[in-house]
Amino acid sequence: MLRITSELPYLDQAGHVYVPLAGPARSCLKLNRHASRVWREALRRPVDLDTLPDLDRDFLLGLTRNGVLRTTPAPATASRPASAPVPAPASPSEGV
């Protein structure tokens, strides 16, 4: 699993993602609706590239090679038994 982050600022508006400096001759790259969905999902949560369709995986890897996206290993989550209680958040008055 990989965590993917953007190396460039981007605009997500009207169903499309726009990435300045990521297109040819450092122009603004406008992603189509499908590519925009792939982008959003990849940045939202850890991704297993092996489970993605070939074209989606190649799209993300191409942006990684071009320096638009960065990948890092996703942190391992500590698993807790389903029956374990979830700690309650501390109230503002605690510790006073």
Side-chain angles (χ1 to χ4, degrees), residues 1-2 4 46-58 60-61:
M1 298 292 274
L2 295 174
I4 297 178
V47 175
D48 183 357
L49 292 176
D50 294 332
T51 64
L52 293 177
D54 291 344
L55 293 176
D56 294 352
R57 182 180 60 244
D58 293 346
L60 292 174
L61 290 174

Side-chain angles (χ1 to χ4, degrees), residues 9-19 36-37 39-40 44:
Y10 62 93
L11 174 66
D12 189 346
Q13 185 173 343
H16 296 277
V17 171
Y18 302 83
V19 188
S36 294
R37 279 192 302 275
W39 172 282
R40 285 185 208 101
R44 185 172 291 133

Side-chain angles (χ1 to χ4, degrees), residues 22-77:
R26 300 184 53 83
S27 64
C28 183
L29 180 64
K30 176 185 175 186
L31 304 181
N32 65 30
R33 289 189 188 277
H34 177 77
S36 294
R37 279 192 302 275
V38 171
W39 172 282
R40 285 185 208 101
E41 285 301 312
L43 271 60
R44 185 172 291 133
R45 67 183 61 115
V47 175
D48 183 357
L49 292 176
D50 294 332
T51 64
L52 293 177
D54 291 344
L55 293 176
D56 294 352
R57 182 180 60 244
D58 293 346
F59 165 70
L60 292 174
L61 290 174
L63 291 175
T64 301
R65 279 190 299 274
N66 292 340
V68 176
L69 297 176
R70 178 175 24 141
T71 60
T72 56
T77 58

